[in-house]
Amino acid sequence: GENVEQHPSTLSVQEGDSAVIKCTYSDSASNYFPWYKQELGKRPQLIIDIRSNVGEKKDQRIAVTLNKTAKHFSLHITETQPEDSAVYFCAASKPPGTYKYIFGTGTRLKVLA
Amino acid sequence: DSGVTQTPKHLITATGQRVTLRCSPRSGDLSVYWYQQSLDQGLQFLIQYYNGEERAKGNILERFSAQQFPDLHSELNLSSLELGDSALYFCASSVSGDTEAFFGQGTRLTVV
């Protein structure tokens, strides 16, 4: 069945450093890979997403890369700030017809000032 | 505001009881997802509906059931509640299965 593995489970970085979170998916039919940020006590919110026809996407300090062959995708946050501290979830989804929206187990990122 | 409305926000009930959680998706969204998030845990996928039909099931207990109505709102029914069912239950909606999912604020269920 579908599965998304996410690493690491916790990550501490110094302010200004970069953070990288990695996910691996099992279903090669997956074509949509979003990343969500969940701040304490709040709902998850989309921060960036990528589709399978694109290898990389960037939005200011955030970037996502996708390796379809290896079924890996990663979130990169540069110049981290204290407000980046949150739990980050990756997800993988498939085209219409199956609709399962599976999340990774989450990464708790702490940015130390 | 994501446009997804969940009620109630908080619910405290006793073991053995039954509760119903309600979700109104964003206008135009046909897909509704339910997730369970226990303390400091991830988002466990429970079930998904698309335009009134069940499309995918996750690790949903037999004591739990859900449905999506013609007006596209969805309800998650939890019965014979146990202490371990205490969690934050999120509903999310999207246009289709491969687009951004918008989350409601969640219903925090406490079973005592």
Side-chain angles (χ1 to χ4, degrees):
Chain A
E2 303 93 337
N3 189 38
V4 178
E5 293 186 1
Q6 183 172 346
H7 300 281
S9 56
T10 60
L11 179 60
S12 293
V13 299
Q14 288 295 133
E15 183 178 358
D17 287 352
S18 295
V20 180
I21 303 170
K22 298 181 179 182
C23 286
T24 303
Y25 60 99
S26 61
D27 194 330
S28 56
S30 297
N31 75 332
Y32 177 63
F33 307 94
W35 285 89
Y36 287 79
K37 176 183 180 182
Q38 186 178 26
E39 296 177 357
L40 192 62
K42 297 191 176 179
R43 73 190 86 190
Q45 290 190 286
L46 182 80
I47 54 171
I48 195 167
D49 56 11
I50 193 168
R51 294 194 177 274
S52 57
N53 59 346
V54 175
E56 183 173 359
K57 185 176 178 181
K58 194 172 182 181
D59 183 3
Q60 298 183 344
R61 297 186 296 108
I62 295 172
V64 57
T65 58
L66 172 65
N67 182 330
K68 284 194 299 182
T69 304
K71 290 190 269 186
H72 289 170
F73 58 112
S74 301
L75 177 71
H76 305 253
I77 306 174
T78 57
E79 301 172 24
T80 53
Q81 300 167 5
E83 51 265 37
D84 294 330
S85 296
V87 179
Y88 292 82
F89 293 97
C90 63
S93 183
K94 295 199 286 188
T98 47
Y99 293 109
K100 221 167 189 177
Y101 211 111
I102 302 297
F103 283 88
T105 48
T107 297
R108 185 174 299 279
L109 173 64
K110 292 182 185 177
V111 179
L112 308 171
Chain B
D1 184 8
S2 66
V4 179
T5 304
Q6 286 187 252
T7 56
K9 208 172 174 180
H10 302 277
L11 197 49
I12 301 175
T13 190
T15 54
Q17 295 299 304
R18 173 190 169 94
V19 297
T20 298
L21 313 183
R22 183 188 168 103
C23 170
S24 293
R26 283 190 333 149
S27 177
D29 285 356
L30 300 179
S31 275
V32 169
Y33 312 82
W34 286 98
Y35 295 89
Q36 179 192 57
Q37 188 173 44
S38 300
L39 192 62
D40 283 343
Q41 299 295 310
L43 294 159
Q44 296 298 318
F45 172 73
L46 297 178
I47 198 164
Q48 189 254 332
Y49 284 86
Y50 180 80
N51 202 20
E53 291 184 13
E54 181 187 305
R55 284 298 182 96
K57 251 183 176 177
N59 296 323
I60 186 167
L61 300 171
E62 284 190 12
R63 301 183 286 109
F64 295 1
S65 65
Q67 55 184 325
Q68 187 179 31
F69 294 86
D71 66 353
L72 300 179
H73 91 269
S74 178
E75 293 181 355
L76 179 67
N77 301 297
L78 315 175
S79 62
S80 303
L81 286 167
E82 302 175 358
L83 296 177
D85 297 328
S86 296
L88 190 53
Y89 290 84
F90 281 109
C91 165
S93 75
S94 68
V95 172
S96 65
D98 59 350
T99 56
E100 178 180 358
F102 293 85
F103 282 78
Q105 63 187 7
T107 293
R108 182 166 295 284
L109 173 67
T110 303
V111 182
V112 297

